[in-house]
Amino acid sequence: MFVRRQGDIGHIFLIVFLIFISYSLSLKGGFTYDDHYVIENNNFVKNLSLHNIKGFFLAQNSSFLSDSTMYRPLLFLSYAWDYWLGGGKAFVFHLDSLFLHILASLLFMLILYKIFNFSREISFILALFFGLQPANSQSVCFISARGDILFSLFLLGAFYFYAKDKHWLSLLLFVLGILSKETAVVFLPLIIAYDLLFKQRKKLTFYLAVVVTIGVYLSWRYILFSNIITTHFARSRGQDFILFARSFFSYFSIWFLPFSLSIKHSLGRNYFLDISGIAIFITVFLLSLFLLKRREKKAFLGFLWGIFPLLILVLGSFNTPLGEQRIYFSGFGFVIFLGVFAAKMRKDYLHWFLIFAFMLTAWRSFLWSEPVFIWQDAASKYPGDWLVCENLAYEYQRRGDFQKAKAYYTKAIKINKRAFRSLYNLGTILGKEGKAQESIFYLQRAIKIKPDACAYYNLALSYLSLPNPDKEKARAYLKKAASLGYKVSLKIKQLIGR
């Protein structure tokens, strides 16, 4: 018993150490992409007060998001805690996400051993493989993607205690999971599948408790937002089906062949994801059925665990970009599926898989160490994606490399003529460079797309910077900026004669 405990401590240490080392470079990374408005410029997150905590649960503090139906109070509470703890430094946010990922990997090892009866060594290898899986790098390194780790951690705990017949504790963790991210509703079909395959009995009372919890949650969302989910539909049902299929199969390719990872994927521009994803899905499905007939129930449950979250995600998010973080919870199921084969393989082969995963994850970690690196990587894979160009330009702008910023903003505008942020930022840069006429051209295009207080203000400044300042137009645009809440300085008012 002592030797076993000693071995367990060694396994725990190796999981913590190796995962931490593989992600250590990403701890230097800053905020990027959604982080800017979700955290960095979010006044609700910056102040950990009782008023703001209440606002997270009453959805009063989600109006800053473009998707106003986002209801994840525990996620935003964790952001507020990190902001208070580290004074807004990105390092603390990254460290917290990494800690949660390590914790999830350790809990997964416990489930593999205690619930699925894998050996200690195989449970350790599988949990370590999950922790080092390159497809998880975006969930860990992208701060705004923490919700997937958080709800997964709670659901792992809920599943463990459910399998141990500690139902009320399981239900409590499920509630915490659904308050972290709505995808946690996948818990219901998961435990039903587990019971049908392993327990041969149905726990209708607990199912009912979960259904009631989901019903209360959805009703509360409806009260807050007047709808339950936000679904973006394409132009026709045929297009909807194509988008669903491409998204669904692409996630299989991303997880099983993590060679084309990117902070942003573009559906329709990477046929490798489509073709390989379909092939992998068919292979995994047929293998799981074959193993089920041979009474290898773990493989089939792993397959179901993998596809249930993807079905919920894809059906609830038509016409939205692929996000690698969304496959995090499915990854546990895929590892269980692979575990059936890993248990029969030579250990030295498994070690090579771990080495490969470690190296690829360390490389992704390096890319995440600087926001400009991760967007350069995305631009190399999707050079025709306007949003990739826009975000790369923004990171260049933050670094003070205005020539490259202007080049990529211009490229984004050529691809998408209604790219507001590119038009606004390009106009602002040109204004600061003293190119007032060019600045006016882009800022006027920007305000036609979106009446923005800052755009009106900068447009007024550009008119004042002309060789022959146009104070009348400057005065008119300042008035519009003020009507939208912009506080015009006394110096500027005096400059235009007000």
Side-chain angles (χ1 to χ4, degrees):
M1 178 63 72
F2 175 76
V3 174
R4 286 184 177 181
R5 287 183 179 176
Q6 210 172 35
D8 291 341
I9 293 173
H11 288 161
I12 292 171
F13 171 78
L14 283 174
I15 286 177
V16 173
F17 178 74
L18 291 175
I19 295 176
F20 183 85
I21 292 298
S22 67
Y23 281 105
S24 58
L25 290 176
S26 69
L27 297 177
K28 300 190 302 179
F31 297 109
T32 190
Y33 204 14
D34 293 346
D35 296 341
H36 296 308
Y37 65 86
V38 172
I39 299 166
E40 194 175 23
N41 300 321
N42 182 359
N43 291 327
F44 301 115
V45 166
K46 291 180 179 180
N47 184 10
L48 185 62
S49 64
L50 290 176
H51 179 267
N52 282 343
I53 292 173
K54 179 183 176 182
F56 293 141
F57 286 89
L58 295 178
Q60 296 169 345
N61 296 352
S62 61
S63 59
F64 66 95
L65 296 167
S66 58
D67 181 0
S68 61
T69 61
M70 180 180 286
Y71 183 67
R72 301 169 187 175
L74 291 186
L75 172 63
F76 285 100
L77 184 59
S78 75
Y79 291 149
W81 168 259
D82 285 352
Y83 202 99
W84 175 82
L85 195 64
K89 294 180 180 177
F91 170 80
V92 176
F93 289 86
H94 285 298
L95 187 63
D96 195 5
S97 293
L98 178 54
F99 169 76
L100 293 172
H101 176 58
I102 292 173
L103 198 59
S105 301
L106 292 173
L107 181 54
F108 185 46
M109 180 173 67
L110 180 67
I111 289 173
L112 291 169
Y113 177 64
K114 293 288 188 178
I115 307 302
F116 292 105
N117 298 317
F118 285 105
S119 68
R120 273 183 163 84
E121 187 173 6
I122 292 298
S123 297
F124 159 69
I125 291 174
L126 293 177
L128 181 57
F129 177 73
F130 174 83
L132 297 175
Q133 162 57 279
N136 290 334
S137 59
Q138 186 154 310
S139 299
V140 181
C141 302
F142 184 23
I143 301 170
S144 294
R146 181 188 295 174
D148 289 272
I149 303 179
L150 199 58
F151 98 80
S152 297
L153 182 59
F154 286 128
L155 250 59
L156 283 176
F159 180 80
Y160 175 79
F161 286 113
Y162 176 77
K164 292 294 184 180
D165 292 325
K166 297 181 179 180
H167 293 161
W168 290 111
L169 190 53
S170 174
L171 187 63
L172 173 62
L173 288 169
F174 167 65
V175 171
L176 296 177
I178 207 171
L179 291 176
S180 301
K181 191 173 182 180
E182 54 279 358
T183 317
V185 297
V186 74
F187 182 62
L188 180 60
L190 178 60
I191 59 174
I192 292 175
Y194 172 73
D195 283 342
L196 290 175
L197 288 170
F198 289 92
K199 296 292 186 179
Q200 302 297 323
R201 58 191 174 91
K202 301 177 181 126
K203 301 174 182 176
L204 297 179
T205 303
F206 188 78
Y207 299 162
L208 180 61
V210 175
V211 169
V212 170
T213 302
I214 294 174
V216 170
Y217 169 77
L218 294 178
S219 299
W220 181 239
R221 284 181 64 100
Y222 187 82
I223 291 171
L224 295 173
F225 306 115
S226 298
N227 57 32
I228 295 176
I229 61 172
T230 298
T231 303
H232 306 280
F233 291 98
R235 294 181 180 179
S236 68
R237 291 186 180 274
Q239 287 177 320
D240 287 340
F241 178 77
I242 292 171
L243 284 170
F244 164 77
R246 298 188 75 169
S247 298
F248 181 78
F249 293 124
S250 292
Y251 279 119
F252 276 84
S253 181
I254 287 171
W255 199 90
F256 283 93
L257 297 173
F259 306 114
S260 298
L261 300 179
S262 175
I263 187 174
K264 185 185 179 301
H265 291 275
S266 298
L267 280 174
R269 296 179 184 174
N270 192 333
Y271 291 102
F272 171 78
L273 290 178
D274 298 340
I275 297 170
S276 60
I278 293 171
I280 292 169
F281 171 78
I282 293 173
T283 303
V284 172
F285 176 64
L286 293 177
L287 280 174
S288 61
L289 284 180
F290 172 74
L291 291 171
L292 182 62
K293 289 183 178 180
R294 302 190 63 172
R295 299 187 181 279
E296 286 283 3
K297 299 178 181 179
K298 288 183 286 192
F300 193 71
L301 180 66
F303 171 74
L304 294 178
W305 188 321
I307 67 169
F308 283 159
L310 295 184
L311 288 172
I312 291 174
L313 283 167
V314 176
L315 287 171
S317 57
F318 279 114
N319 208 19
T320 58
L322 288 173
E324 292 168 10
Q325 71 274 14
R326 296 172 188 154
I327 205 172
Y328 188 86
F329 189 70
S330 293
F332 296 111
F334 293 146
V335 171
I336 293 171
F337 170 82
L338 293 176
V340 175
F341 301 95
K344 301 173 183 178
M345 291 177 63
R346 288 175 49 180
K347 300 301 183 294
D348 52 342
Y349 291 162
L350 298 178
H351 295 160
W352 281 111
F353 278 111
L354 291 175
I355 291 172
F356 170 77
F358 178 90
M359 293 176 64
L360 191 51
T361 296
W363 169 246
R364 295 301 298 175
S365 174
F366 166 73
L367 293 177
W368 280 97
S369 66
E370 284 286 348
V372 71
F373 293 166
I374 200 67
W375 286 109
Q376 286 172 338
D377 172 73
S380 69
K381 294 167 182 172
Y382 300 103
D385 189 301
W386 71 271
L387 196 55
V388 169
C389 294
E390 182 176 86
N391 279 281
L392 179 54
Y394 182 69
E395 295 303 336
Y396 277 129
Q397 183 181 352
R398 284 167 60 92
R399 289 165 66 99
D401 193 339
F402 298 113
Q403 293 305 313
K404 288 183 179 178
K406 288 191 295 183
Y408 277 99
Y409 279 136
T410 302
K411 186 176 181 179
I413 294 166
K414 286 181 179 179
I415 300 169
N416 179 11
K417 294 180 180 179
R418 295 186 58 81
F420 168 79
R421 191 169 71 150
S422 292
L423 290 165
Y424 168 74
N425 286 345
L426 181 55
T428 301
I429 292 173
L430 291 168
K432 291 180 178 179
E433 290 179 343
K435 300 175 182 178
Q437 198 63 55
E438 293 179 64
S439 174
I440 289 170
F441 172 75
Y442 287 106
L443 289 173
Q444 283 181 333
R445 290 177 61 182
I447 61 174
K448 287 180 181 179
I449 298 168
K450 177 184 174 183
D452 180 83
C454 292
Y456 279 122
Y457 179 77
N458 288 339
L459 190 53
L461 294 184
S462 293
Y463 273 108
L464 290 174
S465 301
L466 289 170
N468 296 311
D470 191 335
K471 293 187 178 182
E472 287 299 320
K473 287 188 177 180
R475 188 178 295 112
Y477 284 122
L478 283 175
K479 186 176 180 181
K480 289 183 178 181
S483 68
L484 292 172
Y486 196 96
K487 295 182 179 180
V488 181
S489 67
L490 180 61
K491 182 179 179 181
I492 297 296
K493 290 179 180 179
Q494 291 173 343
L495 188 62
I496 61 174
R498 290 182 62 187

